[in-house]
Amino acid sequence: MNFLELCRRVRQDSGISGDIASVVNQQGILLKLVTWVQQAEYDIVTSRKDWNFMRGKASGSLVVGKVEYLPGELGMLPFSMLSKVYVDRQPLDKLDFEYLDDWHLKNGAAPDGTPTGFAETPDGTILFNHKPTQAVAFDIRYYKSATRLSVNTSVSPIPTEHEELIVQAALMSYARHEQDDQLLRDSQVAFDAHLKSLSNKQLPNLVIPGWGG
């Protein structure tokens, strides 16, 4: 379902009167409903940084003499977290940004060489510890940043089979607004069940050292 369809579904399940022709230019309770759906979806996506459905990947070549990159310069979308960074087929160490920034300042600049480490900067760029003297291949695995649903046709990255989670979260907001305790309880039970299903399928497997093969 797109944003508009999600809102229509919540309106139907809540019993709110009046059709929703668009997610924009609404007033009163329908405006609240649109906001509840938007916030519900955003809260679910941002509740974890490591949802499988938010994974992304990029590959290419680093530019000679360049150590800091915006995500788009590497063929990436804005990221919430970097998972793996490889340069010249070698995994890079993740470094603290302040440490790496100080190291560059003490050296007068990033030294020449193939990068062996990287840092995520506070403004969402990727900073390497060395500047390559020749084009060198990189491969990156990362988790994308969340964006809010905004127009009728906006579609959540949450897989279709788990969209009911958004509906139930929005219904809980409506139930609190109306002080409808029965609806709140029913929606909470449904929400918890759907969240468990989403988490089982869309979070990385937990690896416990010493267990398994």
Side-chain angles (χ1 to χ4, degrees):
M1 290 183 282
N2 60 31
F3 190 12
L4 179 59
E5 291 167 338
L6 285 167
C7 290
R8 285 176 168 169
R9 168 66 191 284
V10 173
R11 187 210 64 76
Q12 177 182 340
D13 287 9
S14 66
I16 295 174
S17 61
D19 186 27
I20 300 180
S22 175
V23 297
V24 299
N25 299 323
Q26 293 296 338
Q27 296 180 348
I29 190 64
L30 292 181
L31 174 59
K32 291 180 183 293
L33 187 153
V34 169
T35 303
W36 290 329
V37 172
Q38 181 190 60
Q39 191 63 45
E41 191 274 344
Y42 187 76
D43 286 347
I44 294 164
V45 175
T46 58
S47 65
R48 295 285 300 240
K49 286 187 174 183
D50 55 350
W51 291 118
N52 289 335
F53 59 80
M54 294 298 283
R55 293 178 66 182
K57 60 183 179 180
S59 60
S61 296
L62 299 181
V63 177
V64 174
K66 185 175 175 64
V67 294
E68 187 170 357
Y69 294 82
L70 293 166
E73 294 177 309
L74 298 174
M76 300 167 56
L77 294 171
F79 62 87
S80 63
M81 182 174 64
L82 298 176
S83 175
K84 300 175 184 178
V85 179
Y86 277 63
V87 171
D88 197 22
R89 298 185 180 180
Q90 298 300 312
L92 269 59
D93 294 325
K94 185 174 182 179
L95 307 173
D96 176 75
F97 166 70
E98 293 296 341
Y99 165 81
L100 182 55
D101 189 45
D102 284 344
W103 189 65
H104 285 171
L105 289 171
K106 290 174 182 177
N107 282 280
D112 292 338
T114 300
T116 58
F118 72 95
E120 300 175 16
T121 73
D123 57 354
T125 66
I126 300 174
L127 180 66
F128 293 98
N129 61 346
H130 293 85
K131 56 184 179 183
T133 56
Q134 60 184 6
V136 60
F138 71 84
D139 284 282
I140 297 176
R141 302 293 182 267
Y142 67 103
Y143 293 92
K144 305 168 201 170
S145 293
T147 57
R148 292 182 183 272
L149 302 177
S150 58
V151 298
N152 290 337
T153 55
S154 295
V155 176
S156 172
I158 296 172
T160 301
E161 63 267 29
H162 301 291
E163 289 175 340
E164 186 67 22
L165 188 61
I166 305 170
V167 173
Q168 296 303 323
L171 284 172
M172 284 193 289
S173 293
Y174 170 72
R176 294 187 189 99
H177 178 270
E178 294 295 313
Q179 298 183 334
D180 187 333
D181 293 339
Q182 184 61 53
L183 177 59
L184 181 58
R185 285 192 295 269
D186 291 346
S187 298
Q188 183 70 64
V189 169
F191 176 87
D192 290 344
H194 286 289
L195 180 59
K196 182 178 180 180
S197 177
L198 177 68
S199 298
N200 287 339
K201 294 180 180 179
Q202 292 292 326
L203 287 177
N205 292 328
L206 179 63
V207 177
I208 302 176
W211 289 75

